[in-house]
Amino acid sequence: MAQGEQAGDVTGDGAGTHRLVEVPGGRIHLVEQGSGPLVLLVHGFPESWYSWRRQLPALAAAGYRAVAIDVRGYGRSSRPGAVEAYRMLAHVGDNVGVVRALGEEKAVVVGHDWGAPIAANSALLRPDVFTAVGLMSVPYSPRGGMRPTEGFAKLGGDEEFYIGYFQRPGRAEAEIEPDVRGWLAGAYASLSGDTMAPEGSPSPFFVARGARMSERFVDGPLPGWLSEAEFDVFAQEFERTGLTGGLNRYRNVDRDWEDLAAWDGAPVRQPSLFIGGQRDSSTTWMRDAIAAFPTTLPGLAGSHLLEDCGHWVQQERAEDVNRLLTEWLANL
């Protein structure tokens, strides 16, 4: 076995291989399963490669080389200290580096949550490498005319939109670090279709002045799709690494806006797929982005909103996502 590889049953459903690969920006930890055309899976916040544990065996069984990465700042991937090291261009570079390190020239890229814009921008900036793109929970929205932090400031009114709350280094960490497990459990439950607060409840995405984001999290059991043992995998990683790497992605939205000025309004033309949850705030806030798909994603094969599903779509509705994903891949 090559250096940097470790085989084992990493998904609970079959054999997988952990690897550390070198990319220009450092190292990326990944888990791969199967052989065939490469499908690169990119997670969001606050997650890890493990968010794709139910997709790895399904994609492998369908004849693909499925690879789920820990995005820089997470897990065993590099965690640079500088905030600006987490700008979008760096994440796109990591994705290209992973494809090359795996000995491949091209890949389909699929992302969830923050992984969705990372996947979309990977396809936008490097269409020579990423031949198709799947987006989950967060629809593609091209770079626009307003600086992002200015737009987020207008959303909150007397309260702060959570992305604004995350901007100052150390602020969210001071809330999260004393009880990483409790914060994660509340975040997962608050955004899950089966455990989120009733409609009309104060939104956890808005923070009252002087308050903490977690004060509006639901207080109850873990979602039905997340066992205690599975939750331990997430919690133990974040207890070890902290969440600064993930939070630094949010702290680069204005840098991304500056870096991507040449792609203002640009569509992603490759074959694409969108899957979201009907109960996910991302699909309601960004309904205009979904409506604009004929212009922004001219290669769109399907846009699916899953009933009674929240934000963690590939974990909440694994069978539906696996079916939609493999059917789309088969028709590329």
Side-chain angles (χ1 to χ4, degrees):
M1 183 173 296
Q3 185 177 4
E5 297 185 4
Q6 178 182 356
D9 186 350
V10 297
T11 65
D13 298 288
T17 301
H18 286 268
R19 296 180 63 179
L20 288 173
V21 299
E22 295 297 322
V23 298
R27 71 178 183 279
I28 294 293
H29 168 249
L30 58 85
V31 178
E32 66 174 314
Q33 190 167 357
S35 60
L38 177 60
V39 180
L40 185 66
L41 304 170
V42 186
H43 68 80
F45 176 88
E47 304 178 83
S48 75
W49 76 266
Y50 193 64
S51 305
W52 301 103
R53 63 195 176 280
R54 298 188 177 104
Q55 283 67 55
L56 288 167
L59 291 172
Y64 298 94
R65 185 184 188 185
V67 172
I69 66 170
D70 277 336
V71 172
R72 66 163 58 196
Y74 292 82
R76 283 183 266 167
S77 292
S78 292
R79 297 193 301 277
V83 172
E84 59 269 22
Y86 297 85
R87 66 206 315 151
M88 183 61 71
L89 295 181
H91 291 288
V92 171
D94 287 345
N95 284 352
V96 174
V98 167
V99 173
R100 298 288 188 249
L102 294 173
E104 304 283 357
E105 295 295 325
K106 299 182 184 300
V108 174
V109 61
V110 179
H112 170 256
D113 183 77
W114 255 123
I118 292 173
N121 281 285
S122 295
L124 179 67
L125 273 62
R126 293 302 304 268
D128 56 318
V129 176
F130 300 104
T131 58
V133 58
L135 308 175
M136 298 189 188
S137 296
V138 177
Y140 175 58
S141 181
R143 187 238 194 232
M146 181 178 291
R147 183 174 292 273
T149 53
E150 293 176 2
F152 297 140
K154 293 180 179 180
L155 285 175
D158 292 334
E159 299 183 334
E160 284 186 276
F161 189 53
Y162 78 108
I163 297 178
Y165 179 73
F166 285 167
Q167 288 301 302
R168 190 171 77 237
R171 184 185 185 191
E173 288 92 331
E175 171 185 344
I176 299 168
E177 298 296 344
D179 183 15
V180 171
R181 294 180 68 87
W183 197 91
L184 288 173
Y188 295 153
S190 297
L191 277 64
S192 180
D194 62 340
T195 51
M196 66 175 54
E199 188 174 350
S201 301
S203 171
F205 292 104
F206 292 89
V207 184
R209 301 293 174 179
R212 299 178 301 165
M213 184 178 177
S214 57
E215 291 176 20
R216 290 183 176 172
F217 286 173
V218 297
D219 184 14
L222 291 172
W225 51 267
L226 185 64
S227 71
E228 288 286 349
E230 290 171 325
F231 176 65
D232 282 344
V233 175
F234 289 114
Q236 289 169 9
E237 279 288 77
F238 284 115
E239 286 175 333
R240 181 178 65 83
T241 66
L243 282 89
T244 296
L247 290 164
N248 280 344
R249 173 82 289 275
Y250 293 91
R251 294 165 183 158
N252 278 277
V253 291
D254 283 348
R255 289 187 184 90
D256 298 341
W257 182 79
E258 295 166 358
D259 289 343
L260 298 172
W263 289 270
D264 187 77
V268 173
R269 300 189 180 279
Q270 294 95 312
S272 56
L273 174 73
F274 178 73
I275 306 173
Q278 190 182 52
R279 301 194 66 194
D280 185 4
S281 295
S282 297
T283 61
T284 54
W285 290 334
M286 301 187 73
R287 62 172 63 90
D288 290 346
I290 295 174
F293 279 168
T295 300
T296 61
L297 293 176
L300 187 70
S303 179
H304 308 273
L305 290 181
L306 305 183
E307 292 185 6
D308 300 320
C309 182
H311 184 67
W312 317 106
V313 56
Q314 81 271 35
Q315 298 182 80
E316 292 186 50
R317 299 288 288 277
E319 290 186 7
D320 290 330
V321 168
N322 291 346
R323 174 180 55 81
L324 291 169
L325 193 54
T326 55
E327 288 176 355
W328 172 65
L329 290 167
N331 288 306
L332 291 177

